[in-house]
Amino acid sequence: MSRLRAKCPDCGTFTAVALGPGYECHACGREFAAGLVRVPRAWGEGGEAIAEAAQLRVPYPEVAVVEEDTLGDQTLALAAELPERPFVLGGCCCTHVGAVEGLAARYDRLALVWVDAHGDLNTPESSPTGNLWGMPLRMILDSGAVDAEDTILIGARNLDPPEEEHIASIGLRTDPAQLDEALDGADGVYVAFDGDSLEPGEIRSFMPEPGGLMLDEAEELLRRVAKSPVLGAGFTALLPDPANVEPVTLLCVALGL
């Protein structure tokens, strides 16, 4: 299916046609601000539930489903399948690697807001588990797709010592008060949102951590982000509970998607 067409979530037809970054269904007339790419994969042990969560019935037109056998193939396929403004639904946080690389190829300077209870900054050598889903932010920064000065990690409260050391060594911003500094001068921003950044009970996530953002706090944060052009967003590490559709939709609305 062409990236210019998508499956309408309302009437189910394959007639949603791209209008710039958005879509309009020519069958029922509904308009959408982003195109949905599902990535039902999790690169770690026991991640079957979060892979299944990529199939949640969110109210966006489905452009593509990316399900590859290796993370490298997934990254390439996802970058190739991105609509002009993607809403990516994983799967684990490795989903964001392909989304960021795809967008970074289109713009001179992409900013990245990574909202997560964990740092995702490990390497194969530093990781205590070996799970690739603990490494995607490090992969992105090391690849040069996004500069550390254009990146902010928000909500992290369970960091491994090597991650803390890396944050200090590259001067990665972690204070929400520094959001404007991270976005300043960029062409636009991609938001990588892990469900565990929220307080348990606000959403059903795979690795809940106490002390997270309340939903209204997250909405306010994303409204601040949306003062800059939002080029895309991805939501990951959710459980396949239909109750998750409402908070995810609210957060997308806060981003202007």
Side-chain angles (χ1 to χ4, degrees), residues 27-238:
C28 69
R30 184 170 174 187
E31 296 183 358
F32 307 89
L36 171 65
V37 181
R38 301 184 187 275
V39 188
R41 292 302 302 256
W43 302 98
E45 293 294 327
E48 292 80 9
I50 50 176
E52 185 181 346
Q55 303 297 346
L56 285 168
R57 296 187 63 181
V58 291
Y60 290 86
E62 182 180 292
V63 177
V65 178
V66 174
E67 191 170 8
E68 301 293 337
D69 292 333
T70 70
L71 178 55
D73 287 344
Q74 173 183 294
T75 297
L76 291 172
L78 181 54
E81 293 291 337
L82 286 182
E84 186 170 342
R85 182 187 289 130
F87 166 34
V88 183
L89 186 62
C92 74
C93 290
C94 293
T95 295
H96 303 303
V97 179
V100 169
E101 290 194 2
L103 288 173
R106 301 176 186 175
Y107 298 94
D108 291 332
R109 187 174 173 186
L110 178 68
L112 175 59
V113 176
W114 197 277
V115 190
D116 201 317
H118 307 92
D120 295 349
L121 287 164
N122 273 304
T123 64
E125 293 73 30
S126 71
S127 172
T129 65
N131 290 326
L132 291 175
W133 63 40
M135 308 179 198
L137 180 53
R138 182 65 175 266
M139 294 177 190
I140 290 169
L141 294 175
D142 284 356
S143 74
V146 177
D147 290 337
E149 67 180 42
D150 297 322
T151 303
I152 185 168
L153 171 63
I154 296 176
R157 53 197 184 276
N158 187 349
L159 296 168
D160 296 319
E163 293 181 302
E164 294 177 330
E165 293 169 6
H166 190 64
I167 287 171
S169 70
I170 65 173
L172 182 64
R173 295 181 177 93
T174 58
D175 185 343
Q178 299 173 303
L179 176 64
D180 292 344
E181 297 173 22
L183 302 182
D184 185 44
D187 297 315
V189 57
Y190 177 82
V191 177
F193 197 100
D194 188 308
D196 62 29
S197 63
L198 294 177
E199 177 70 15
E202 295 289 271
I203 202 167
R204 290 202 65 205
S205 67
F206 181 60
M207 294 183 181
E209 295 282 352
L213 295 167
M214 301 303 290
L215 183 60
D216 59 351
E217 292 176 320
E219 288 182 86
E220 177 57 30
L221 170 69
L222 298 186
R223 280 191 287 267
R224 288 176 58 201
V225 173
K227 293 178 182 178
S228 296
V230 176
L231 304 177
F235 289 79
T236 53
L238 300 168

